[in-house]
Structure formats: C-alpha cells, structure tokens
C-alpha cells in the first residue's frame, strides 16, 4: 500500500508580478533568539545550488540579491555555533518558501519553520492554494490512521490493502482535479505551472500534457521551471505509444552489432534488464512463456542489459540460467547504457512493445499483461 502526501509547496507556486524589480531583499526577525546564530538561504539557478549565509544578530537578518525568475527556496536557521555531534542527526529549522525579486519580510517568534511571510504575492498564493488542498491531504491522514488502527492480521489482508489503495487513488484523482482547475483558471501564474508540474507522474500522457502546458502564458512557459517541464514532456513523448521507436545499435553476446530496426516486420519487445536486478529475474519466466507461445506468430524479444563490464560473465550466466533464448545486446555501461539513455530508462525492468512498422504500441508490460496484449494483437 502506498499512502503518501505530495509535497504541497512543490505542487504550487507564484505569479510573475514584481519581476521588474532589480533584486530581492529578505528582511527577517526571529524575536526570541537573542544569541548569535546563523541563517542560510538556498535556492537553485539552472540546476546549480546557490547558498548564502548571514549572522542573526539581535534577532534580525537580511539577505540581498537577485534571481532570474521566481524560485523555490529555503531559509535554514542554525541556532548554535557549536560544532554538531557527528553521531546524531542535526535538528533542522527550515522554512520552505518562494523567492522573487521583491522586498519580503519574514517574521518568526522562536523558529524559522513557523515564520510568517509578507510582501510577496507569490507566497500569498502558495498559502491560499495550500489551504485549498488541505482537506484532501487530511483524507490521506485519515486513511493512514485507519490503517494503523487495524489489527496486524487485517494490515496484511490483501483485500483490505486493495481497498485502501483504491481509496487513496480516488483522493489522488481529487487532488489532481483541484490542481488542474487552478491551472486552467490561472494560466498567467507561475503557481499554475508548479501545480501542473506536480500532476505529472513518471509515466504520463505526454500528448495531453503538452496541450495543457501550451495553454499557460508564454511568460510562464519560458521560465526555468517552464523549460524543465517542456523538456520532461518532450522526453516522455519520445517513447509515447504511437511514437516511432528510436533506432540504435549494440553488440550481442558474441560482439556482433545488432540494430533494433533489424527486427522490422515483427512485434518486438525491447526489454531493459540486468543480471543483478532481482525484479528483472523474477519477471524473466513471464517473458520466456510469452516468447515460446508467440515466437512463431510474428513476435520476438530484444534484451538490453544494464550490466557493467566486470559483470559480463554474470550477464551471460543469467541468460543461460533463465533460459533467455532471444537476442541479447549490451554496451556494458550499466546505467550509462546508450540505449537506456535514449529511451529515458531510469528503472528496470522496463520494456517497450514495438509493432512491425516500428511504432511503440505499449510499454511496461509485466506479468500476464504481455501475453494478454500479444493475444489481442496477434489474433487479429
């Protein structure tokens, strides 16, 4: 069962007002901290972490600088200059917020994490949307409390866990619907972009996502985050169902070059795996079964291993032990495998089913799903 909150701040964000100002000024007070302490400001620019720091004196601190658009940022208050005990985890007093080129005041009593933010419309919007989403996240809390209150036997009951998953999925659907309602009503706000970005799981419909993304104002889409989202959509779109499978060449177990396009005219399952990958090895019997059933009906498999050079013998032994009689290739670069990078493979097992014309027709077919799909396609 997976019941978790999506980080609310990461789901949201900010309008683009105030960007005409040359820079930001953060004026902060932590009134009940009188001893000298240190405050750190962090945020990213073009993927690079920027860190600034200043001394908290008489409960006050100031940061000045400039950002090229609104950013997610954090203020961290270190309450003591004493060296931290390396055997214990340091206490983190952190305020996540949204930094923009404005004069922003941050006021707290005794801890940074409880600070109030003023002078920043973007953080006002963030607060408003957090409040809108709060009832939905409370439903997650209710599910977690319900689960913890059950006896051990019921906590392991598959039917009960399935019901929890279903209800959690329903809550997630409500959250996405609420976020998209905000996105569609506020195309000119950066917060709409952040809300939209948070609705995109690792696998999503890139074509539909692109339609929603293009409804956002150009100024929003051209921000750093906007360009990141556009790149994410483009990457997923490359392996979307209906896309032409990208060709590549790698050596087989005997060093002979093999092209993906060599398999045109058949349905081919492009299967990414590795000898060290336990889930892959557990999945292999399903592949063997499907291969033996449909290999004479226009179906084959091309295995791509993410093994390392020093593990070539383990790769070959795994092929023999698991009875993988179809073509296997690899450049033995592990996670840097060129084909895996081409297909944006970040976890294995992962596969793509490609039709005789070279188009992707399905992906991530595990268990009985592969045989069911092949039965539908090859019985036509």
């Amino acid at each position: 069962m997976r019941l978790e909150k999506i980080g609310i701040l990461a789901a949201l964000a900010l309008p683009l007002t105030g960007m005409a100002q040359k820079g930001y000024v953060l004026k902060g007070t932590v009134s009940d901290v009188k001893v000298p302490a240190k405050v750190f400001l962090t945020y990213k620019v073009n993927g690079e972490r920027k860190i600034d720091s200043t001394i908290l004196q008489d409960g006050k601190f100031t940061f000045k600088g400039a950002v090229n658009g609104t950013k997610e940022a954090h203020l961290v208050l270190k309450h003591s200059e004493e060296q931290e005990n390396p055997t214990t985890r340091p206490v983190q007093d952190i305020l996540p917020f949204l930094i923009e080129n404005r004069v922003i005041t941050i006021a707290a009593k005794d801890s940074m994490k409880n600070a109030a933010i003023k002078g920043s419309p973007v953080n006002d919007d963030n607060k408003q949307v957090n409040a809108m989403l709060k009832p939905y996240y409370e439903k997650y809390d209710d599910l977690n409390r319900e689960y913890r209150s059950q006896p051990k036997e019921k906590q392991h009951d598959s039917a009960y866990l399935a019901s929890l998953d279903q209800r959690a999925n329903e809550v997630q659907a409500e959250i996405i619907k609420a976020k998209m309602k905000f996105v569609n009503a506020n195309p000119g706000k950066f917060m709409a972009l952040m809300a939209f970005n948070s609705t995109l799981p690792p696998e999503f419909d890139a074509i539909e996502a692109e339609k929603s993304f293009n409804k956002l104002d150009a100024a929003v889409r051209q921000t750093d985050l906007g360009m990141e989202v556009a790149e994410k959509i483009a990457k997923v779109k490359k392996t979307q169902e209906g896309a032409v499978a990208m060709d590549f060449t790698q050596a087989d177990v005997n060093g002979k070059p093999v092209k993906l396009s060599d398999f045109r005219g058949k349905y081919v399952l492009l299967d990414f795996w590795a000898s060290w990958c336990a889930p892959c090895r557990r999945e292999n019997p399903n592949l063997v079964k499907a291969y033996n059933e449909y290999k004479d009906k226009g179906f084959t498999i091309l295995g791509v291993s993410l093994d390392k050079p020093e593990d070539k013998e383990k790769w070959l032994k795994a092929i023999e032990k698991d009875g993988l009689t179809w073509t296997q290739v690899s450049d033995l670069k592990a996670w840097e495998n060129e084909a895996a990078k081409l297909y944006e493979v970040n976890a294995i097992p992962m596969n793509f089913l490609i039709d005789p014309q070279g188009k992707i027709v399905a992906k991530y077919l595990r268990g009985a799903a592969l045989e069911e799909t092949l039965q539908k396609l090859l019985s036509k």
Side-chain angles (χ1 to χ4, degrees):
M1 179 185 65
R2 186 180 181 187
L3 300 178
E4 63 181 10
K5 290 185 178 182
I6 296 175
I8 297 179
L9 179 64
L12 317 172
L14 31 142
L16 297 174
T17 55
M19 290 183 68
Q21 183 169 315
K22 292 182 179 179
Y24 62 79
V25 179
L26 304 182
K27 296 181 178 180
T29 59
V30 190
S31 58
D32 285 359
V33 178
K34 302 299 183 184
V35 298
K38 205 164 189 179
V39 183
F40 296 85
L41 168 66
T42 70
Y43 55 87
K44 286 184 178 180
V45 175
N46 298 324
E48 182 181 348
R49 175 70 62 186
K50 302 293 183 181
I51 303 177
D52 196 0
S53 64
T54 189
I55 300 298
L56 180 73
Q57 292 184 322
D58 297 325
K60 297 180 180 180
F61 68 90
T62 301
F63 286 102
K64 294 182 180 180
V67 287
N68 62 334
T70 311
K71 311 280 185 186
E72 289 185 76
H74 294 83
L75 282 170
V76 182
L77 175 61
K78 185 178 179 182
H79 285 263
S80 172
E81 289 296 327
E82 295 180 8
Q83 185 173 358
E84 293 171 348
N85 184 345
T87 64
T88 61
R89 190 172 181 175
V91 177
Q92 298 289 324
D93 186 9
I94 303 174
L95 173 69
F97 74 110
L98 300 159
I99 191 168
E100 57 178 332
N101 290 323
R102 285 179 171 271
V103 177
I104 303 173
T105 61
I106 297 167
K109 185 178 181 182
D110 55 6
S111 67
M112 188 67 71
K113 64 183 179 182
N114 295 320
I117 304 171
K118 294 184 178 180
S120 171
V122 88
N123 284 285
D124 291 342
D125 285 349
N126 185 62
K127 184 177 179 180
Q128 177 186 348
V129 179
N130 284 349
M132 177 190 73
L133 294 175
K134 184 179 178 182
Y136 300 107
Y137 289 112
E138 287 175 345
K139 291 183 180 181
Y140 275 137
D141 293 335
D142 290 341
L143 289 175
N144 280 313
R145 278 192 292 268
E146 177 191 321
Y147 171 76
R148 291 193 298 268
S149 71
Q150 302 301 318
K152 292 294 183 182
E153 311 83 67
K154 192 166 184 179
Q155 288 183 358
H156 293 89
D157 181 75
S158 58
Y160 174 65
L161 293 177
S163 74
L164 281 182
D165 274 340
Q166 181 179 350
R167 285 183 283 165
N169 290 336
E170 289 171 356
V171 174
Q172 178 66 4
E174 290 177 352
I175 291 172
I176 292 176
K177 184 178 180 180
K179 288 177 180 178
M180 288 308 299
K181 182 178 180 181
F182 178 84
V183 170
N184 294 329
N186 299 278
K189 290 189 175 183
F190 191 77
M191 183 176 290
L193 173 63
M194 291 190 75
F196 171 71
N197 184 41
S198 73
T199 68
L200 302 178
E203 296 294 331
F204 60 90
D205 187 334
I207 294 174
E208 289 303 313
E210 188 173 51
K211 292 177 183 177
S212 295
F213 177 71
N214 287 337
K215 291 178 182 177
L216 296 172
D217 286 3
V220 175
R221 288 186 275 114
Q222 290 165 6
T223 61
D224 284 355
L225 179 59
M227 289 186 283
E228 288 177 16
V229 173
E231 183 179 4
K232 181 192 298 187
I233 292 172
K235 285 180 177 179
V236 174
K237 196 175 177 182
K238 287 194 303 182
T239 58
Q240 182 101 5
E241 292 178 17
V244 175
M246 297 165 285
D247 202 11
F248 64 88
T249 302
Q250 289 197 6
D252 68 9
V253 296
N254 298 313
K256 179 183 175 182
V258 175
K259 287 184 179 182
L260 174 62
S261 56
D262 291 342
F263 298 88
R264 286 285 176 90
K266 289 186 176 183
Y267 281 95
V268 56
L269 186 74
L270 177 60
D271 178 50
F272 292 92
W273 72 294
S275 65
W276 47 261
C277 169
C280 303
R281 303 294 295 276
R282 289 195 295 270
E283 185 63 22
N284 279 343
N286 295 320
L287 299 186
V288 171
K289 186 172 183 291
Y291 179 74
N292 289 334
E293 176 70 22
Y294 293 98
K295 65 180 180 179
D296 297 324
K297 301 175 183 178
F299 171 70
T300 191
I301 301 175
L302 175 62
V304 180
S305 168
L306 272 62
D307 280 285
K308 297 178 289 187
E310 58 267 33
D311 291 336
K312 182 176 180 179
E313 286 304 315
K314 292 180 181 179
W315 171 42
L316 298 179
K317 287 180 180 178
I319 292 172
E320 182 180 2
K321 184 176 180 180
D322 293 0
L324 313 183
T325 57
W326 50 85
T327 304
Q328 296 284 344
V329 300
S330 182
D331 59 12
L332 296 174
K333 293 182 180 179
W335 287 107
E336 293 302 309
N337 182 288
E338 295 299 331
K341 290 165 64 176
L342 186 66
Y343 279 79
E344 301 292 333
V345 174
N346 299 308
I348 51 176
M350 183 63 194
N351 59 47
F352 302 85
L353 183 61
I354 301 165
D355 74 7
Q357 290 72 46
K359 289 186 177 181
I360 297 171
V361 293
K363 56 185 179 180
Y364 200 56
L365 296 171
R366 298 184 65 177
L370 175 58
E371 276 200 82
E372 291 170 358
T373 303
L374 291 175
Q375 185 178 24
K376 292 176 184 177
L377 292 172
L378 296 176
S379 63
K380 292 180 180 178

